[in-house]
Amino acid sequence: EDLLSLADEDRLDGLIVATTPDNQATVALAALEHQVPALIEKPLGLTSEVPSRLLEVQRLRPAILLINYVHLCAPAYQELKRRVLANPSDPPRWIVSEGYNRGPKRSFASLWDYGPHDLAMCLDLMGWRDPLQVQTVRRLTSTHGELFEIDAALAQTSIRLRCGNGGQTKRRFFQIVCKSGRTLAYDDSLLHPHKLQENGASVAVDVGTPLDRALERLVQGIILWKMGLWNHADSDLVLSLHINQSIEQILRQPAHRD
């Protein structure tokens, strides 16, 4: 509260918040009420009620509230998305997204820790036009933690997600297969500048880091905010609502074991 009170004295340009999910709603609400631009670590709470409530506040107190779905800012993902959108006659028909590691263990389901990145890329690429349709949920055998494998769909696109804290090593992989059979894959394990591949061939992309781009997005938002040009529709709360609803839907499904 003392920090946010600086906003009333025009001494605070913005906030970057990394706290536990149970505290995020309180900090995000205070930032909106003080109309302080903020970038908040994912997930935004552990229920869909959190982004839903914040959306209501934002409509009354417009302010920048960005959520750090950092892989949306990865140069390789952004180039993958650009190439997909440039060819609307060849839409994605199959998406595989994998994000896992060995730990960490939390007091909540690891799907809230890892799933938001996978879901953010799927929903962002497909434009949030349809809700995620969860078909099957499997819990894979792991001695290290939880590992979920989820089959789902968005409109006519089939999706397989594999995520959790029960992996042997760190993995961040996002691949699409288009209607024509063309494949595009963002593989974060590859070295710069070759994290993007099209039909198995490397595509050179910018070497900037996802976090650098996320921070640049916040700075550009603050500049537009001060000029009175920022549109609150550019916030991440709608995406957060879709992500949290999708995770709730997955966790409600009976999980099969492999």
Side-chain angles (χ1 to χ4, degrees):
E1 191 65 40
D2 290 339
L3 181 63
L4 287 168
S5 67
L6 296 175
D8 299 327
E9 305 169 22
D10 292 326
R11 293 167 57 194
L12 189 62
D13 292 317
L15 285 174
I16 298 173
V17 180
T19 186
T20 55
D22 55 322
N23 290 323
Q24 287 171 333
T26 300
V27 177
L29 181 60
L32 286 176
E33 289 177 341
H34 286 77
Q35 294 186 295
V36 177
L39 172 65
I40 298 181
E41 187 53 65
K42 60 79 194 165
L44 185 59
L46 300 175
T47 69
S48 59
E49 293 178 7
V50 173
S52 180
R53 186 168 70 251
L54 292 172
L55 270 168
E56 294 177 3
V57 176
Q58 190 184 55
R59 293 187 183 104
L60 300 173
R61 302 283 291 175
I64 299 173
L65 189 61
L66 305 180
I67 313 303
N68 192 28
Y69 303 118
V70 70
H71 289 281
L72 295 184
C73 296
Y77 169 76
Q78 291 181 337
E79 178 60 18
L80 180 153
K81 180 181 177 181
R82 187 194 69 78
R83 291 178 180 229
V84 169
L85 297 183
N87 194 352
S89 64
D90 191 25
R93 285 293 177 255
W94 173 246
I95 297 175
V96 175
S97 188
E98 299 179 346
Y100 49 80
N101 204 349
R102 187 167 181 164
K105 293 187 177 181
R106 312 283 195 194
S107 61
F108 48 86
S110 64
L111 191 62
W112 287 105
D113 214 2
Y114 286 90
H117 289 308
D118 302 276
L119 290 164
M121 288 188 284
C122 291
L123 291 165
D124 178 69
L125 185 68
M126 301 304 294
W128 319 336
R129 290 184 295 272
D130 299 278
L132 188 74
Q133 300 168 338
V134 179
Q135 297 163 340
T136 59
V137 178
R138 289 177 292 278
R139 284 181 179 263
L140 305 181
T141 301
S142 171
T143 58
H144 312 303
E146 298 176 314
L147 197 57
F148 295 87
E149 187 173 83
I150 301 118
D151 286 331
L154 280 169
Q156 300 180 54
T157 302
S158 298
I159 297 170
R160 174 163 289 176
L161 310 175
R162 182 176 287 190
C163 48
N165 62 1
Q168 290 283 354
T169 58
K170 185 177 181 179
R171 173 78 161 163
R172 174 58 58 196
F173 178 79
F174 183 83
Q175 181 183 59
I176 69 165
V177 180
C178 296
K179 182 180 178 181
S180 68
R182 177 176 63 139
T183 64
L184 288 158
Y186 159 40
D187 188 343
D188 196 41
S189 68
L190 299 177
L191 298 176
H192 282 304
H194 304 294
K195 291 180 180 288
L196 177 63
Q197 295 190 330
E198 181 167 359
N199 295 327
S202 294
V203 177
V205 296
D206 183 76
V207 297
T209 70
L211 184 56
D212 285 343
R213 287 199 171 188
L215 295 175
E216 288 170 6
R217 182 179 176 225
L218 175 63
V219 170
Q220 289 299 316
I222 291 171
I223 292 171
L224 291 173
W225 170 259
K226 290 189 172 184
M227 295 172 63
L229 299 176
W230 184 78
N231 184 346
H232 79 271
D234 293 331
S235 89
D236 293 334
L237 286 177
V238 175
L239 176 59
S240 293
L241 177 60
H242 282 272
I243 288 170
N244 287 16
Q245 287 173 333
S246 297
I247 292 176
E248 288 176 330
Q249 186 185 164
I250 292 167
L251 292 175
R252 282 197 300 267
Q253 288 272 9
H256 306 283
R257 295 190 177 272
D258 65 345

